[in-house]
Amino acid sequence: MAELHDASSPAGHLITVRKDGSALRNDGVELTPAAQNPWYVLATVYVEHDDL
């Protein structure tokens, strides 16, 4: 079991969110922005709309 940074918060609680979109969970897991995850990018359809 991972050591918690703050014992009063659950393991999945975000303790730090950075300007680049990454985050640190209470259990020490580093999260990256979804846009940097290739599986998310492949599963997402992005369409750029032109204003007419």
Side-chain angles (χ1 to χ4, degrees), residues 11-22:
H13 182 78
L14 297 179
I15 58 173
T16 304
V17 178
R18 300 177 190 96
K19 289 183 180 184
D20 67 352
S22 64

Side-chain angles (χ1 to χ4, degrees), residues 3-50:
E3 186 175 331
L4 300 177
H5 292 274
D6 180 7
S8 64
S9 296
H13 182 78
L14 297 179
I15 58 173
T16 304
V17 178
R18 300 177 190 96
K19 289 183 180 184
D20 67 352
S22 64
L24 176 66
R25 284 191 341 197
N26 192 25
D27 58 0
V29 174
E30 289 281 337
L31 302 174
T32 58
Q36 292 180 3
N37 180 335
W39 294 108
Y40 174 83
V41 174
L42 287 171
T44 304
V45 177
Y46 178 78
V47 179
E48 190 169 315
H49 296 280
D50 294 328

